[in-house]
Protein backbone atom coordinates (compact mmCIF):
# COMPACT_ATOMS: atom_id res chain seq x y z
CA UNK A 1 0.00 0.00 0.00
CA UNK A 2 2.82 2.44 0.82
CA UNK A 3 4.48 1.91 -2.56
CA UNK A 4 1.14 2.38 -4.29
CA UNK A 5 0.61 5.66 -2.42
CA UNK A 6 4.00 6.99 -3.59
CA UNK A 7 3.16 6.10 -7.17
CA UNK A 8 -0.12 7.96 -6.90
CA UNK A 9 1.65 10.99 -5.39
CA UNK A 10 4.09 11.03 -8.30
CA UNK A 11 1.23 10.93 -10.75
CA UNK A 12 -0.49 13.79 -8.92
CA UNK A 13 2.66 15.96 -8.98
CA UNK A 14 3.17 15.26 -12.66
CA UNK A 15 -0.44 16.25 -13.31
CA UNK A 16 0.06 19.56 -11.47
CA UNK A 17 3.19 20.30 -13.49
CA UNK A 18 1.39 19.57 -16.75
CA UNK A 19 -1.48 21.79 -15.64
CA UNK A 20 0.89 24.69 -14.94
CA UNK A 21 2.57 24.23 -18.32
CA UNK A 22 -0.84 24.37 -19.97
CA UNK A 23 -1.57 27.62 -18.12
CA UNK A 24 1.54 29.20 -19.69
CA UNK A 25 0.33 28.11 -23.11
CA UNK A 26 -3.18 29.35 -22.32
CA UNK A 27 -1.79 32.74 -21.27
CA UNK A 28 0.01 33.01 -24.59
CA UNK A 29 -3.16 32.13 -26.49
CA UNK A 30 -5.31 34.58 -24.51
CA UNK A 31 -2.83 37.37 -25.26
CA UNK A 32 -2.85 36.47 -28.94
CA UNK A 33 -6.66 36.44 -28.92
CA UNK A 34 -6.67 39.92 -27.39
CA UNK A 35 -4.57 41.30 -30.25
CA UNK A 36 -7.36 40.20 -32.57
CA UNK A 37 -10.48 40.97 -30.53
CA UNK A 38 -9.26 43.82 -28.25
CA UNK A 39 -11.55 42.37 -25.56
CA UNK A 40 -10.28 43.05 -22.05
CA UNK A 41 -11.70 39.73 -20.91
CA UNK A 42 -9.01 37.93 -22.90
CA UNK A 43 -6.33 39.78 -20.94
CA UNK A 44 -8.09 39.03 -17.67
CA UNK A 45 -8.17 35.30 -18.41
CA UNK A 46 -4.57 35.41 -19.58
CA UNK A 47 -3.41 37.13 -16.40
CA UNK A 48 -5.24 34.62 -14.21
CA UNK A 49 -3.53 31.77 -16.04
CA UNK A 50 -0.02 33.24 -16.02
CA UNK A 51 -0.22 34.43 -12.39
CA UNK A 52 -1.09 30.88 -11.38
CA UNK A 53 1.83 29.52 -13.42
CA UNK A 54 4.33 31.95 -11.87
CA UNK A 55 3.60 30.49 -8.43
CA UNK A 56 4.57 26.97 -9.47
CA UNK A 57 8.18 25.94 -8.80
CA UNK A 58 8.83 24.66 -12.33
CA UNK A 59 7.07 27.24 -14.49
CA UNK A 60 8.21 30.17 -12.32
CA UNK A 61 11.76 29.38 -13.42
CA UNK A 62 10.91 29.66 -17.12
CA UNK A 63 11.84 32.81 -19.03
CA UNK A 64 8.76 32.32 -21.21
CA UNK A 65 6.46 32.50 -18.16
CA UNK A 66 7.71 35.95 -17.30
CA UNK A 67 7.95 37.06 -20.93
CA UNK A 68 4.31 36.10 -21.56
CA UNK A 69 3.32 37.75 -18.30
CA UNK A 70 5.13 40.92 -19.31
CA UNK A 71 3.36 40.87 -22.69
CA UNK A 72 -0.06 40.60 -21.05
CA UNK A 73 0.58 43.56 -18.75
CA UNK A 74 2.14 45.48 -21.65
CA UNK A 75 -1.09 45.08 -23.59
CA UNK A 76 -3.08 46.27 -20.58
CA UNK A 77 -1.05 49.50 -20.72
CA UNK A 78 -1.03 49.78 -24.52
CA UNK A 79 -4.77 49.10 -24.82
CA UNK A 80 -5.61 52.60 -23.64
CA UNK A 81 -8.88 51.18 -22.31
CA UNK A 82 -10.03 52.09 -18.82
CA UNK A 83 -11.73 48.70 -18.53
CA UNK A 84 -8.44 46.90 -19.15
CA UNK A 85 -6.44 49.19 -16.89
CA UNK A 86 -8.93 48.88 -14.04
CA UNK A 87 -8.27 45.15 -13.70
CA UNK A 88 -4.51 45.69 -13.37
CA UNK A 89 -3.79 49.11 -11.78
CA UNK A 90 -0.14 48.14 -11.19
CA UNK A 91 0.36 46.97 -14.76
CA UNK A 92 3.38 49.22 -15.37
CA UNK A 93 5.33 47.90 -12.39
CA UNK A 94 4.25 44.28 -12.97
CA UNK A 95 5.17 44.47 -16.65
CA UNK A 96 8.61 45.90 -15.92
CA UNK A 97 9.31 43.35 -13.18
CA UNK A 98 8.24 40.50 -15.47
CA UNK A 99 10.49 41.58 -18.32
CA UNK A 100 13.49 42.05 -16.03
CA UNK A 101 13.01 38.51 -14.69
CA UNK A 102 12.54 37.13 -18.20
CA UNK A 103 15.86 38.66 -19.31
CA UNK A 104 17.91 36.93 -16.61
CA UNK A 105 16.02 33.64 -16.59
CA UNK A 106 16.59 33.48 -20.35
CA UNK A 107 20.27 32.69 -19.73
CA UNK A 108 21.41 29.07 -19.61
CA UNK A 109 24.11 29.85 -17.05
CA UNK A 110 22.66 29.30 -13.52
CA UNK A 111 24.77 32.14 -12.10
CA UNK A 112 23.43 34.62 -14.65
CA UNK A 113 19.88 33.58 -13.75
CA UNK A 114 20.52 35.04 -10.28
CA UNK A 115 21.21 38.59 -11.54
CA UNK A 116 19.13 41.43 -10.12
CA UNK A 117 18.78 44.08 -12.80
CA UNK A 118 17.69 46.64 -10.20
CA UNK A 119 21.35 46.68 -9.09
CA UNK A 120 23.89 48.61 -11.14
CA UNK A 121 26.66 46.04 -10.67
CA UNK A 122 24.38 43.26 -11.94
CA UNK A 123 23.39 45.37 -14.95
CA UNK A 124 27.07 45.55 -15.87
CA UNK A 125 27.35 41.76 -15.56
CA UNK A 126 24.24 41.41 -17.71
CA UNK A 127 25.68 43.49 -20.55
CA UNK A 128 29.01 41.71 -20.28
CA UNK A 129 27.15 38.41 -20.71
CA UNK A 130 25.37 39.77 -23.79
CA UNK A 131 28.67 40.97 -25.28
CA UNK A 132 30.18 37.56 -24.61
CA UNK A 133 27.17 36.00 -26.37
CA UNK A 134 26.25 33.86 -23.38
CA UNK A 135 23.76 31.20 -24.42
CA UNK A 136 20.07 32.01 -23.97
CA UNK A 137 16.88 29.98 -24.34
CA UNK A 138 15.30 32.35 -26.86
CA UNK A 139 17.06 35.34 -28.44
CA UNK A 140 13.69 36.76 -29.44
CA UNK A 141 12.82 37.50 -25.82
CA UNK A 142 15.90 39.66 -25.27
CA UNK A 143 15.57 41.46 -28.60
CA UNK A 144 11.87 42.20 -28.16
CA UNK A 145 12.10 43.32 -24.54
CA UNK A 146 15.11 45.59 -24.95
CA UNK A 147 14.44 46.74 -28.49
CA UNK A 148 10.71 47.38 -28.42
CA UNK A 149 9.15 47.05 -24.99
CA UNK A 150 11.60 48.94 -22.77
CA UNK A 151 11.47 52.18 -24.82
CA UNK A 152 7.68 52.19 -24.49
CA UNK A 153 7.81 51.48 -20.76
CA UNK A 154 10.44 54.19 -20.27
CA UNK A 155 8.03 56.68 -21.83
CA UNK A 156 5.22 55.48 -19.55
CA UNK A 157 7.36 55.98 -16.45
CA UNK A 158 8.43 59.43 -17.66
CA UNK A 159 4.79 60.47 -18.10
CA UNK A 160 3.94 59.05 -14.69
CA UNK A 161 6.79 61.05 -13.17
CA UNK A 162 5.55 64.27 -14.79
CA UNK A 163 2.11 63.71 -13.28
CA UNK A 164 3.56 62.98 -9.85
CA UNK A 165 5.82 66.04 -9.99
CA UNK A 166 2.83 68.23 -10.92
CA UNK A 167 0.98 66.77 -7.94
CA UNK A 168 4.02 67.58 -5.75
CA UNK A 169 4.71 63.90 -5.09
CA UNK A 170 8.42 64.52 -5.57
CA UNK A 171 9.60 61.24 -4.08
CA UNK A 172 7.26 59.32 -6.34
CA UNK A 173 8.38 61.40 -9.33
CA UNK A 174 12.02 60.70 -8.48
CA UNK A 175 11.35 56.96 -8.48
CA UNK A 176 9.37 57.05 -11.73
CA UNK A 177 11.92 59.18 -13.56
CA UNK A 178 14.68 56.96 -12.20
CA UNK A 179 12.93 53.83 -13.50
CA UNK A 180 12.46 55.51 -16.89
CA UNK A 181 16.14 56.40 -16.98
CA UNK A 182 17.14 52.84 -16.02
CA UNK A 183 15.02 51.29 -18.78
CA UNK A 184 16.45 53.71 -21.35
CA UNK A 185 19.95 52.77 -20.27
CA UNK A 186 19.03 49.11 -20.71
CA UNK A 187 18.40 49.90 -24.38
CA UNK A 188 21.81 51.53 -24.68
CA UNK A 189 20.51 55.11 -24.60
CA UNK A 190 20.91 57.99 -22.17
CA UNK A 191 17.73 60.08 -22.00
CA UNK A 192 19.22 63.36 -20.80
CA UNK A 193 15.84 65.05 -20.39
CA UNK A 194 14.68 62.30 -18.03
CA UNK A 195 18.04 62.52 -16.28
CA UNK A 196 17.38 66.23 -15.73
CA UNK A 197 13.85 65.54 -14.47
CA UNK A 198 15.24 62.93 -12.07
CA UNK A 199 17.74 65.45 -10.73
CA UNK A 200 15.03 68.07 -10.28
CA UNK A 201 12.68 65.63 -8.55
CA UNK A 202 15.54 64.46 -6.31
CA UNK A 203 16.24 68.04 -5.26
CA UNK A 204 12.57 68.72 -4.51
CA UNK A 205 12.37 65.42 -2.62
CA UNK A 206 15.34 66.68 -0.56
CA UNK A 207 17.54 63.80 -1.69
CA UNK A 208 20.35 66.28 -2.18
CA UNK A 209 23.22 63.83 -2.59
CA UNK A 210 21.49 62.14 -5.53
CA UNK A 211 20.54 65.53 -6.96
CA UNK A 212 24.14 66.73 -6.80
CA UNK A 213 25.46 63.63 -8.55
CA UNK A 214 22.91 63.97 -11.35
CA UNK A 215 23.36 67.72 -11.77
CA UNK A 216 27.14 67.30 -11.93
CA UNK A 217 26.68 64.60 -14.56
CA UNK A 218 24.46 66.89 -16.63
CA UNK A 219 26.96 69.73 -16.31
CA UNK A 220 29.71 67.41 -17.55
CA UNK A 221 27.50 66.51 -20.54
CA UNK A 222 26.86 70.24 -21.19
CA UNK A 223 23.12 69.62 -21.04
CA UNK A 224 21.13 72.65 -22.21
CA UNK A 225 17.80 71.36 -23.53
CA UNK A 226 15.24 74.15 -23.24
CA UNK A 227 18.01 76.51 -22.07
CA UNK A 228 18.19 74.56 -18.80
CA UNK A 229 22.01 74.59 -18.73
CA UNK A 230 22.37 77.70 -16.55
CA UNK A 231 19.80 76.34 -14.11
CA UNK A 232 22.05 73.34 -13.41
CA UNK A 233 24.63 75.67 -11.88
CA UNK A 234 21.97 77.64 -10.01
CA UNK A 235 20.49 74.42 -8.59
CA UNK A 236 23.89 73.24 -7.38
CA UNK A 237 24.55 76.65 -5.88
CA UNK A 238 21.16 76.60 -4.14
CA UNK A 239 21.82 73.16 -2.63
CA UNK A 240 25.24 74.15 -1.29
CA UNK A 241 23.90 77.46 -0.01
CA UNK A 242 21.19 75.60 1.94
CA UNK A 243 23.91 73.36 3.35
CA UNK A 244 25.74 76.45 4.60
CA UNK A 245 28.61 76.15 2.12
CA UNK A 246 28.60 79.68 0.66
CA UNK A 247 32.01 79.31 -1.00
CA UNK A 248 30.99 76.18 -2.90
CA UNK A 249 27.69 77.80 -3.84
CA UNK A 250 29.49 80.80 -5.32
CA UNK A 251 31.97 78.54 -7.10
CA UNK A 252 29.12 77.03 -9.12
CA UNK A 253 27.73 80.47 -9.99
CA UNK A 254 31.13 81.59 -11.26
CA UNK A 255 31.57 78.38 -13.26
CA UNK A 256 28.10 78.93 -14.66
CA UNK A 257 29.03 82.50 -15.66
CA UNK A 258 32.01 81.11 -17.58
CA UNK A 259 29.84 78.55 -19.37
CA UNK A 260 26.94 80.97 -20.00
CA UNK A 261 28.41 84.49 -19.76
CA UNK A 262 25.23 86.24 -20.93
CA UNK A 263 22.71 84.47 -18.76
CA UNK A 264 20.98 87.08 -16.62
CA UNK A 265 19.86 84.71 -13.87
CA UNK A 266 23.47 83.75 -13.20
CA UNK A 267 24.54 87.38 -13.43
CA UNK A 268 21.92 88.36 -10.85
CA UNK A 269 23.01 85.50 -8.55
CA UNK A 270 26.59 86.72 -8.81
CA UNK A 271 25.42 90.28 -8.28
CA UNK A 272 23.63 89.38 -5.05
CA UNK A 273 26.85 87.95 -3.67
CA UNK A 274 28.77 91.10 -4.63
CA UNK A 275 26.18 93.34 -2.99
CA UNK A 276 26.08 91.19 0.14
CA UNK A 277 29.85 91.48 0.48
CA UNK A 278 29.99 95.19 -0.48
CA UNK A 279 31.94 94.49 -3.70
CA UNK A 280 30.41 97.48 -5.44
CA UNK A 281 32.77 97.77 -8.40
CA UNK A 282 32.32 94.09 -9.24
CA UNK A 283 28.57 94.56 -8.86
CA UNK A 284 28.56 97.42 -11.35
CA UNK A 285 30.48 95.32 -13.85
CA UNK A 286 27.90 92.52 -13.56
CA UNK A 287 25.04 94.98 -13.84
CA UNK A 288 26.40 96.52 -17.02
CA UNK A 289 26.55 93.07 -18.62
CA UNK A 290 23.06 92.24 -17.39
CA UNK A 291 21.60 95.51 -18.68
CA UNK A 292 23.25 95.00 -22.06
CA UNK A 293 21.47 91.64 -22.26
CA UNK A 294 18.16 92.93 -20.91
CA UNK A 295 17.89 96.71 -21.38
CA UNK A 296 14.19 96.80 -20.51
CA UNK A 297 14.55 95.26 -17.06
CA UNK A 298 13.69 97.90 -14.42
CA UNK A 299 15.04 95.79 -11.55
CA UNK A 300 18.56 95.92 -13.01
CA UNK A 301 18.48 99.72 -13.23
CA UNK A 302 17.10 99.90 -9.69
CA UNK A 303 19.98 97.71 -8.45
CA UNK A 304 22.42 99.86 -10.38
CA UNK A 305 21.00 102.93 -8.66
CA UNK A 306 21.54 101.40 -5.20
CA UNK A 307 25.17 100.56 -6.05
CA UNK A 308 25.88 104.07 -7.35
CA UNK A 309 24.25 105.49 -4.23
CA UNK A 310 26.53 103.36 -2.04
CA UNK A 311 29.53 104.67 -3.99
CA UNK A 312 28.32 108.28 -3.49
CA UNK A 313 27.91 108.65 -7.26
CA UNK A 314 24.96 111.06 -7.17
CA UNK A 315 24.18 111.72 -10.82
CA UNK A 316 24.57 108.06 -11.81
CA UNK A 317 22.27 106.94 -8.97
CA UNK A 318 19.54 109.43 -9.91
CA UNK A 319 19.86 108.52 -13.58
CA UNK A 320 19.51 104.81 -12.82
CA UNK A 321 16.45 105.26 -10.59
CA UNK A 322 14.81 107.46 -13.21
CA UNK A 323 15.54 104.90 -15.91
CA UNK A 324 13.88 102.20 -13.81
CA UNK A 325 10.80 104.43 -13.45
CA UNK A 326 10.83 105.22 -17.16
CA UNK A 327 10.53 101.49 -17.89
CA UNK A 328 8.10 100.80 -15.03
CA UNK A 329 6.30 103.97 -13.87
CA UNK A 330 4.54 102.15 -10.99
CA UNK A 331 7.79 100.79 -9.54
CA UNK A 332 7.39 101.44 -5.82
CA UNK A 333 10.96 100.65 -4.77
CA UNK A 334 12.48 102.98 -7.37
CA UNK A 335 10.10 105.82 -6.43
CA UNK A 336 10.76 105.35 -2.72
CA UNK A 337 14.54 105.12 -3.10
CA UNK A 338 14.72 108.19 -5.32
CA UNK A 339 12.57 110.17 -2.89
CA UNK A 340 14.55 108.85 0.10
CA UNK A 341 17.77 109.87 -1.63
CA UNK A 342 16.66 113.52 -1.82
CA UNK A 343 15.12 113.32 1.67
CA UNK A 344 18.45 112.14 3.14
CA UNK A 345 20.31 114.93 1.36
CA UNK A 346 17.91 117.44 2.87
CA UNK A 347 18.26 115.84 6.31
CA UNK A 348 22.06 116.08 6.03
CA UNK A 349 21.73 119.83 5.37
CA UNK A 350 19.50 120.21 8.43
CA UNK A 351 22.07 118.34 10.55
CA UNK A 352 24.85 120.61 9.29
CA UNK A 353 22.72 123.68 10.10
CA UNK A 354 22.04 122.45 13.62
CA UNK A 355 25.75 122.04 14.30
CA UNK A 356 26.46 125.73 13.62
CA UNK A 357 26.94 128.22 16.47
CA UNK A 358 24.29 130.91 16.95
CA UNK A 359 26.62 133.50 15.43
CA UNK A 360 26.41 131.71 12.06
CA UNK A 361 22.77 132.65 11.39
CA UNK A 362 23.29 133.44 7.69
CA UNK A 363 24.97 130.12 7.13
CA UNK A 364 22.21 128.44 9.09
CA UNK A 365 19.55 130.00 6.88
CA UNK A 366 21.48 129.00 3.74
CA UNK A 367 21.63 125.36 4.89
CA UNK A 368 17.92 125.42 5.70
CA UNK A 369 17.13 126.80 2.25
CA UNK A 370 19.28 124.16 0.57
CA UNK A 371 17.56 121.48 2.64
CA UNK A 372 14.15 122.71 1.54
CA UNK A 373 15.19 122.40 -2.11
CA UNK A 374 16.14 118.75 -1.57
CA UNK A 375 12.93 118.06 0.34
CA UNK A 376 10.89 119.58 -2.49
CA UNK A 377 12.68 117.26 -4.96
CA UNK A 378 11.78 114.31 -2.77
CA UNK A 379 8.06 115.14 -2.40
CA UNK A 380 6.71 113.94 -5.80
CA UNK A 381 8.57 110.64 -5.56
CA UNK A 382 7.41 109.85 -2.02
CA UNK A 383 3.87 110.95 -2.92
CA UNK A 384 3.95 108.47 -5.78
CA UNK A 385 5.34 105.74 -3.53
CA UNK A 386 2.60 106.48 -0.98
CA UNK A 387 -0.09 106.23 -3.65
CA UNK A 388 1.32 102.87 -4.77
CA UNK A 389 1.43 101.55 -1.19
CA UNK A 390 -0.93 103.67 0.92
CA UNK A 391 -0.91 101.06 3.69
CA UNK A 392 2.87 101.37 4.22
CA UNK A 393 3.40 103.36 7.44
CA UNK A 394 7.09 104.16 6.83
CA UNK A 395 6.27 105.79 3.48
CA UNK A 396 3.44 107.73 5.11
CA UNK A 397 5.69 108.99 7.93
CA UNK A 398 8.36 110.13 5.46
CA UNK A 399 5.71 112.03 3.50
CA UNK A 400 4.51 113.72 6.71
CA UNK A 401 8.08 114.87 7.42
CA UNK A 402 8.49 116.17 3.87
CA UNK A 403 5.22 118.12 4.01
CA UNK A 404 6.30 119.57 7.37
CA UNK A 405 9.72 120.67 6.05
CA UNK A 406 8.14 122.22 2.94
CA UNK A 407 5.37 124.00 4.89
CA UNK A 408 2.45 121.97 3.49
CA UNK A 409 0.67 121.61 6.82
CA UNK A 410 -2.79 120.96 5.41
CA UNK A 411 -1.42 117.87 3.68
CA UNK A 412 0.19 116.77 6.93
CA UNK A 413 -3.28 116.63 8.53
CA UNK A 414 -4.66 114.55 5.63
CA UNK A 415 -1.90 111.95 5.87
CA UNK A 416 -2.05 111.76 9.66
CA UNK A 417 -5.80 111.21 9.50
CA UNK A 418 -5.20 108.02 7.50
CA UNK A 419 -3.28 106.40 10.33
CA UNK A 420 -5.62 107.20 13.21
Amino acid sequence: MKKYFLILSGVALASVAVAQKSKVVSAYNYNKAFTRSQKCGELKDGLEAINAAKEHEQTSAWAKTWYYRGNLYYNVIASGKDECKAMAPDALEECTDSYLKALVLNFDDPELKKLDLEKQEDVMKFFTALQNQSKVDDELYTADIMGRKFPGLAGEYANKGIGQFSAKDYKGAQESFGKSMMLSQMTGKVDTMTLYNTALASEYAEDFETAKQLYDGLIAMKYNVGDAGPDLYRSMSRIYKNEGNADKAMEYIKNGRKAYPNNNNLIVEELEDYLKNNKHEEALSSLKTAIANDPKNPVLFFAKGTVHESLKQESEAIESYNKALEIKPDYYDASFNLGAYFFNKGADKINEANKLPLSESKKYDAFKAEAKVEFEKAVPHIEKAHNLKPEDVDTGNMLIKLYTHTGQYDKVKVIKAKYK
Side-chain angles (χ1 to χ4, degrees):
M1 178 64 73
K2 185 174 182 183
K3 183 177 181 181
Y4 179 63
F5 174 76
L6 291 174
I7 291 171
L8 287 179
S9 298
V11 171
L13 289 172
S15 298
V16 171
V18 170
Q20 297 309 315
K21 291 178 185 179
S22 68
K23 287 184 183 296
V24 174
V25 175
S26 295
Y28 170 82
N29 289 330
Y30 281 126
N31 192 53
K32 194 171 182 180
F34 171 78
T35 60
R36 293 192 300 267
S37 69
Q38 294 296 301
K39 293 180 179 179
C40 297
E42 302 285 7
L43 291 178
K44 182 180 179 182
D45 291 339
L47 286 171
E48 287 178 357
I50 204 68
N51 283 328
K54 81 177 180 69
E55 298 301 327
H56 189 267
E57 183 179 357
Q58 183 178 16
T59 49
S60 67
W62 292 356
K64 71 167 63 176
T65 301
W66 295 98
Y67 176 62
Y68 292 167
R69 187 173 188 266
N71 287 343
L72 284 160
Y73 281 113
Y74 191 91
N75 278 337
V76 168
I77 300 164
S79 71
K81 296 182 177 183
D82 291 339
E83 180 189 350
C84 292
K85 292 180 179 180
M87 66 189 187
D90 296 326
L92 183 57
E93 290 72 20
E94 295 291 351
C95 179
T96 303
D97 184 59
S98 295
Y99 282 145
L100 291 174
K101 287 182 179 177
L103 285 173
V104 297
L105 291 175
N106 199 30
F107 287 118
D108 276 0
D109 186 337
E111 290 303 311
L112 293 176
K113 289 179 183 289
K114 298 176 183 177
L115 294 178
D116 180 356
L117 296 183
E118 297 279 359
K119 297 178 180 178
Q120 190 63 36
E121 60 269 25
D122 280 8
V123 171
M124 298 301 295
K125 292 176 183 177
F126 171 80
F127 278 107
T128 300
L130 290 183
Q131 290 172 352
N132 292 338
Q133 298 183 331
S134 295
K135 189 176 179 181
V136 294
D137 291 337
D138 195 324
E139 292 181 357
L140 170 66
Y141 297 165
T142 302
D144 184 50
I145 292 171
M146 295 179 66
R148 193 167 76 87
K149 301 299 176 53
F150 275 177
L153 293 176
E156 290 291 329
Y157 274 111
N159 290 335
K160 182 180 179 181
I162 291 170
Q164 289 169 314
F165 193 92
S166 298
K168 297 184 179 180
D169 177 11
Y170 302 123
K171 192 65 181 175
Q174 180 191 25
E175 292 174 1
S176 294
F177 287 135
K179 188 64 75 72
S180 176
M181 189 168 59
M182 181 269 286
L183 293 175
S184 292
Q185 288 175 330
M186 290 290 291
T187 68
K189 298 177 181 177
V190 177
D191 186 340
T192 53
M193 185 173 290
T194 302
L195 183 62
Y196 173 71
N197 287 339
T198 309
L200 198 63
S202 298
E203 181 186 354
Y204 276 70
E206 298 185 359
D207 183 357
F208 299 120
E209 290 307 311
T210 298
K212 285 192 287 190
Q213 290 176 18
L214 295 174
Y215 281 136
D216 271 335
L218 289 160
I219 288 171
M221 288 187 281
K222 298 183 179 179
Y223 176 83
N224 193 31
V225 174
D227 296 322
D231 288 336
L232 301 176
Y233 293 93
R234 295 178 64 213
S235 294
M236 288 296 284
S237 176
R238 181 168 57 245
I239 291 171
Y240 278 112
K241 192 179 292 183
N242 289 337
E243 291 177 350
N245 193 338
D247 291 339
K248 194 70 176 178
M250 198 57 200
E251 180 184 320
Y252 272 94
I253 294 301
K254 290 188 178 297
N255 288 338
R257 288 277 287 117
K258 290 176 184 176
Y260 302 96
N262 295 321
N263 182 266
N264 262 25
N265 288 328
L266 288 170
I267 291 170
V268 169
E269 294 262 3
E270 184 181 55
L271 172 63
E272 288 177 357
D273 182 73
Y274 288 147
L275 293 175
K276 181 181 178 181
N277 294 289
N278 295 319
K279 297 179 180 179
H280 297 117
E281 295 297 339
E282 292 91 337
L284 280 179
S285 177
S286 287
L287 279 166
K288 287 175 183 176
T289 304
I291 288 170
N293 295 333
D294 190 5
K296 296 296 183 181
N297 189 329
V299 176
L300 297 177
F301 283 101
F302 170 76
K304 190 167 180 283
T306 63
V307 175
H308 282 304
E309 191 173 348
S310 296
L311 292 171
K312 309 296 183 186
Q313 296 171 344
E314 178 180 338
S315 60
E316 291 91 343
I318 294 171
E319 181 184 355
S320 295
Y321 287 139
N322 279 325
K323 184 64 179 178
L325 288 167
E326 179 186 319
I327 298 169
K328 182 178 171 60
D330 61 346
Y331 195 171
Y332 168 82
D333 291 328
S335 291
F336 182 86
N337 270 32
L338 188 53
Y341 178 76
F342 290 120
F343 176 87
N344 290 333
K345 284 193 69 177
D348 288 342
K349 294 292 182 182
I350 294 293
N351 289 334
E352 289 183 57
N354 290 335
K355 291 177 184 177
L356 292 171
L358 294 176
S359 58
E360 298 279 358
S361 58
K362 286 186 178 181
K363 216 169 189 180
Y364 176 86
D365 291 338
F367 276 134
K368 293 279 284 185
E370 290 174 10
K372 187 177 180 182
V373 170
E374 300 300 333
F375 289 138
E376 287 172 344
K377 290 179 184 177
V379 168
H381 301 296
I382 299 302
E383 282 180 335
K384 186 174 183 179
H386 177 67
N387 289 332
L388 290 169
K389 283 190 177 182
E391 74 286 353
D392 188 81
V393 177
D394 291 336
T395 307
N397 285 336
M398 184 176 287
L399 191 54
I400 289 170
K401 291 176 183 177
L402 285 170
Y403 284 151
T404 301
H405 285 303
T406 55
Q408 301 179 68
Y409 301 113
D410 290 343
K411 291 184 178 181
V412 170
K413 292 179 182 178
V414 172
I415 300 298
K416 282 185 175 181
K418 290 183 180 181
Y419 297 105
K420 285 184 179 180

